[in-house]
Amino acid sequence: MADTGWRNKTSITEFVLLGFGKVPELQILLFPLFLMIYMVTVAGNMLIVVLVVADQHLHTPMYFFLGNLSGLETCYSSAILPRMLASLLTGDRTISVSTCIAQFYFFASLAATECSLLSAMSYDRYLAVCKPLHYAALMNGRLCLQLAAGSWLSGCLATLIISSLMSQLTFCGPSEIDHFFCDFTPVIKLSCSDTNLILVLDLLLASLCTLFPFLLTLLSYIYIIITILRIPSTGCRQKAFSTCSSHLIVVTMFYGTIIIVYMLPKSDTLRDLNKMFSVFYSVLTPLINPLIYSLRNKEVKEALSRLIHKCVAFSRTQASLASTF
């Protein structure tokens, strides 16, 4: 009888993303703020990708993974911010069900890929600190490619299964999503279909794609910290830790906010703060990552300096040739 009841209801074809609608006075400020964040995020991450590709000094496993991470962060923010900016500019908060599921797919697959990439980067740092004599042999080009490709494929395929099942659900209303993007839980709550299977699969795949990489990352840093503490020289300890500090900051920010949003009990206080923490890991983390890696990394700053000198020299050559003719 319950099955017949929801089948007789009219299926909705659009959702309404409430976003930050409860604070209308902030709408005018939010558009330029998020636009600036998006522009700086894309520019900063793409700059790191260009540096890693163009500078021979950065053709190492650590920067290979950093280039992958920066490219991912560009796509990650692009899955959310353009739609949010359009909504803030036009006031149109509606989104079709199919577009909503597509947004969830890109966001979730990139988030799962980032978990795996961070795990691969922590393994790279583990080998560099704990197995320095064998690092070059163990972390070769083939393994780097396999780890990066495995990260991208696992994230995309796992989320494809969930998204395919979501596309077969029926949504009968209400149609309002109290969020600024289409996340899994708010969308599933609006379905009038049987969601038991998809909830079980989501828990299983989320554990494989996020919890397992997190545990590997945590284990790698436990070994790294133990190894660093055993180094007798203070200067050597600081140098060893400096090679991991940027990555450790990114890991802490990313997983810290995800744990708050998805794993802590949904008390009234945390429910109100979840949207803010979601902004942090989905919008601010991709912005902060290139700043952390560039401002704290001597090799990246030197690569940027070399690129600027090359661009200046090229411009002068072009100007000289133009004046000749």
Side-chain angles (χ1 to χ4, degrees), residues 231-245:
I231 299 175
S233 170
T234 303
C236 292
R237 281 202 302 269
Q238 292 176 345
K239 184 178 179 181
F241 187 75
S242 67
T243 64
C244 310
S245 57

Side-chain angles (χ1 to χ4, degrees), residues 174-185:
S175 60
E176 293 183 343
I177 299 176
D178 188 15
H179 216 321
F180 57 88
F181 69 95
C182 293
D183 205 356
F184 177 77
T185 302

Side-chain angles (χ1 to χ4, degrees), residues 131-143:
K131 310 280 185 182
L133 299 178
H134 305 286
Y135 175 74
L138 293 173
M139 188 56 70
N140 52 47
R142 181 179 180 181
L143 180 59

